[in-house]
């Protein structure tokens, strides 16, 4: 048992709570308040001072940030060392603590360092956390392959969890994506982001393509929602990411004089993928040509291959990209296909 100052929250009963990895601080406070039978505002008053007139917001809408002293109070209130809270809640870690030596909190509308995405309700239930837990996630959606549930950010769609067991090809794509990122690390992440940008362009031009329309029907999803379009195009995006990776491996293993053959092969393979969607040449070729143009010039300081094998060519398009970021932010292509107010 942690022996810290237990004065804060001493009026509350000690109700042990199981933590959920990546949970938002706001979500934790709402769960704690519900377990205690008090309001979140009551807890905030014990944690410190907040901006005048600011009251608690629901975890699907916003995140709350604490200072170091407020974190200490929360740990004392829950009878656990603050370091345990920091291991589970990303926005309680040092990089996100409010500065200063006063116990205070702040509840901005826009969270930093990720999106607020609903936790898989079955994962939450396994932690005895109820069915409405919100996570800090790098992307505005999440697929839980263990339970077959797809959830998204409340700002992009409803809070319901989509049962993806009717979409086994999407679950397989998710596992391939995980293997690609484990094997190729940051490079795999960049190429996956680029592949989603290209495939998202295709979706914007042909959202009713037969495979996507059929998946939407099976999972009872809206055909034109950008929130769930990530799920509908998942298999094609991962397939394209693997083609982009092979293209870069081909370039890495070939002299410059043979790079033209690698480009021609990628165009041919992308055409075959796009033809399976019923896309016209005009619809599929533009983003592929843009990607090839941006990946033509090399970064002279590209890293060596892991394990001694050939490494994908590190291009100038991603030379300054070091932070993980979301799939929208870490791609090299200049459009955000999820913003329907902007044409692509």
């Amino acid at each position: 048992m942690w022996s810290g100052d237990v004065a804060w929250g001493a009026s509350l009963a000690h109700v042990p709570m199981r933590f959920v990895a990546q949970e938002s601080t706001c979500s934790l406070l709402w769960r704690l308040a519900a377990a205690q039978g008090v309001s979140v505002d009551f807890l905030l008053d014990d944690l410190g001072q907040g901006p005048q007139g600011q009251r608690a917001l629901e975890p699907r809408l916003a995140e709350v940030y604490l200072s170091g002293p407020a974190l200490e109070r929360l740990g004392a209130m829950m009878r656990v060392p603050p370091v345990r809270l920091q291991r589970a809640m990303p926005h309680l870690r040092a990089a996100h603590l409010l500065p200063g030596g006063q116990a205070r909190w702040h509840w901005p509308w826009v969270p930093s360092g990720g999106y607020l995405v609903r936790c898989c309700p079955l994962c939450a239930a396994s932690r005895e956390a109820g069915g409405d837990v919100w996570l800090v996630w790098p992307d505005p959606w999440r697929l839980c392959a263990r339970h077959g549930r797809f959830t998204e950010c409340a700002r992009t769609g409803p809070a319901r969890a989509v049962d993806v067991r009717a979409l086994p090809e999407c679950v397989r794509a998710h596992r391939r994506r995980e293997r690609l990122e484990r094997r190729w690390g940051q490079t795999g992440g960049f190429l996956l982001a680029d592949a989603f940008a290209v495939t998202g362009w295709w979706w914007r031009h042909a959202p009713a393509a037969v495979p996507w329309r059929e998946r939407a029907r099976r999972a009872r999803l809206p055909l034109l929602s950008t929130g769930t379009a990530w799920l509908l195009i998942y298999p094609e995006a991962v397939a394209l990411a693997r083609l982009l990776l092979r293209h870069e491996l081909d370039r890495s293993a070939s002299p410059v004089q043979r790079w033209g053959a690698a480009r021609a092969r990628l165009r041919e393979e992308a055409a075959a993928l796009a033809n399976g969607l019923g896309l016209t040449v005009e619809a599929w070729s533009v983003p592929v040509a843009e990607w090839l143009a941006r990946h033509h010039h090399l970064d002279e300081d590209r890293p060596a291959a892991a394990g001694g094998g050939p490494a994908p060519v590190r291009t100038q398009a991603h030379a300054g990209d070091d932070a993980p970021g979301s799939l929208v932010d870490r791609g090299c292509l200049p459009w955000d296909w999820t913003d329907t107010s902007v044409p692509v």
Side-chain angles (χ1 to χ4, degrees):
M1 179 71 68
W2 182 53
S3 59
D5 182 359
V6 295
W8 305 109
S11 62
L12 302 176
H14 178 42
V15 180
M17 294 186 61
R18 299 185 69 181
F19 298 141
V20 178
Q22 297 297 118
E23 186 175 8
S24 75
T25 309
C26 179
S27 178
L28 175 72
L29 289 181
W30 276 78
R31 288 204 296 124
L32 178 60
Q36 295 287 353
V38 299
S39 70
V40 180
D41 288 317
F42 180 90
L43 294 183
L44 290 174
D45 287 342
D46 242 12
L47 289 178
Q49 290 186 318
Q52 188 172 5
Q54 192 173 56
R55 311 306 293 171
L57 298 171
E58 294 181 21
R60 66 187 182 88
L61 297 176
E63 173 66 308
V64 64
Y65 295 89
L66 306 181
S67 64
L71 170 61
E72 291 286 337
R73 292 187 180 189
L74 179 60
M77 184 183 295
M78 299 183 69
R79 277 74 155 181
V80 295
V83 68
R84 280 194 59 200
L85 294 170
Q86 290 179 305
R87 280 199 294 266
M89 268 61 71
H91 282 167
L92 289 179
R93 294 167 192 162
H96 294 285
L97 292 179
L98 300 176
Q102 292 183 322
R104 62 191 187 95
W105 53 268
H106 182 49
W107 212 301
W109 274 102
V110 180
S112 62
Y115 296 85
L116 300 173
V117 176
R118 189 185 179 197
C119 179
C120 163
L122 299 180
C123 287
S126 72
R127 302 298 295 171
E128 300 174 359
D132 198 23
V133 175
W134 293 80
L135 308 179
V136 178
W137 205 249
D139 294 308
W141 57 276
R142 180 175 182 268
L143 193 153
C144 172
R146 178 184 178 189
H147 296 117
R149 297 296 186 273
F150 173 92
T151 54
E152 55 182 308
C153 174
R155 295 181 185 274
T156 63
R160 73 185 181 95
V162 177
D163 188 340
V164 297
R165 289 175 296 179
L167 303 174
E169 68 272 40
C170 296
V171 178
R172 289 193 296 269
H174 181 69
R175 297 194 186 282
R176 292 190 191 104
R177 174 234 178 125
E178 291 180 322
R179 289 196 295 270
L180 185 147
E181 291 188 295
R182 279 197 304 268
R183 172 67 179 86
W184 298 102
Q186 191 178 74
T187 296
F190 290 143
L191 294 177
L192 185 73
D194 291 346
F196 263 110
V198 172
T199 314
W201 172 295
W202 294 352
W203 177 82
R204 285 283 300 273
H205 283 263
V210 172
W212 299 335
R213 187 173 68 243
E214 174 60 19
R215 287 172 200 150
R217 183 195 64 77
R218 277 186 275 143
R220 298 182 181 180
L221 294 174
L223 192 59
L224 301 179
S225 167
T226 57
T228 52
W230 293 93
L231 178 61
L232 299 181
I233 69 175
Y234 213 160
E236 289 74 26
V238 174
L240 182 60
R242 297 171 76 178
L243 296 181
L244 301 182
L245 174 63
R246 186 160 63 189
H247 170 78
E248 295 291 58
L249 288 170
D250 286 348
R251 288 210 301 162
S252 183
S254 305
V256 174
Q257 295 84 349
R258 297 184 60 186
W259 285 3
R263 287 194 293 271
R265 178 181 177 182
L266 177 61
R267 291 192 189 97
E268 181 180 343
E269 292 173 330
L273 186 61
N275 287 340
L277 296 167
L279 299 176
T280 65
V281 173
E282 293 78 10
W284 72 258
S285 62
V286 172
V288 173
E290 180 68 22
W291 185 87
L292 284 168
R294 287 175 178 261
H295 276 245
H296 179 69
H297 298 291
L298 299 185
D299 175 13
E300 298 298 331
D301 299 322
R302 73 174 189 254
V313 172
R314 174 75 177 234
T315 65
Q316 289 181 1
H318 294 291
D321 299 339
D322 293 318
S326 72
L327 286 169
V328 172
D329 297 332
R330 63 184 170 181
C332 74
L333 296 168
W335 57 82
D336 176 0
W337 66 271
T338 66
D339 185 354
T340 55
S341 67
V342 179
V344 296

